[in-house]
Every structure is written in structure tokens, then in C-alpha cells.
Amino acid sequence: MRSEVESVLEVIRNALRMDGGDIELVEIADDGVVSVKLTGACAGCPFSQMTLKNFVERELKKNVDGIKEVVAV
């Protein structure tokens, strides 16, 4: 599952980098919760929670079976 998540995150990274941000995979828990760290411009952006839920979480759930939630750490 980790390689699938990394593959999807690479696509997401390309979009985030266009705005000066980035994302790092921290952990994938057994219960399907993915922990990520938003960096760069995304770290302090007031829209980071929307980006996390409406973009990152949506793409991971759509492309990787077993993902339940994405949380920022």
C-alpha cells in the first residue's frame, strides 16, 4: 500500500509545488489513516485543511483501496 500512496502523492506534489508547497508521507496506520506533513507554502496556508480534505484525501481514497482518512501532523 505504501508504494501506491507514494505514487499518488507524487502527482499531488506536482500540483502543490506549483504554489510553493509540498507534502511528505509520515505514516500509514493499519486502520487506513494516512498521516502527512504539509510543507513550504502549504504549511502556513489558511486553506491547507481544505487542500488536505478536498484534494489530498479525495485523490488517495479514489486511487488506493483501504484509505479511510488523511490527517496532517
Side-chain angles (χ1 to χ4, degrees):
M1 180 186 289
R2 187 174 188 87
S3 63
E4 293 175 278
V5 170
E6 285 285 7
S7 179
V8 174
L9 286 180
E10 194 55 42
V11 174
I12 292 168
R13 275 187 190 100
N14 290 333
L16 295 179
R17 287 177 180 158
M18 289 175 24
D19 290 326
D22 207 342
I23 190 168
E24 297 173 11
L25 176 61
V26 176
E27 179 185 24
I28 304 170
D30 292 336
D31 62 356
V33 176
V34 176
S35 299
V36 297
K37 180 178 179 183
L38 294 170
T39 61
C42 292
C45 177
F47 298 106
S48 64
Q49 276 297 72
M50 276 194 344
T51 298
L52 186 71
K53 293 296 179 181
N54 295 335
F55 180 45
V56 178
E57 184 174 270
R58 184 187 67 211
E59 289 300 309
L60 283 171
K61 284 181 170 180
K62 181 172 73 173
N63 292 291
V64 182
D65 290 335
I67 301 301
K68 304 292 183 225
E69 184 181 14
V70 177
V71 296
V73 293

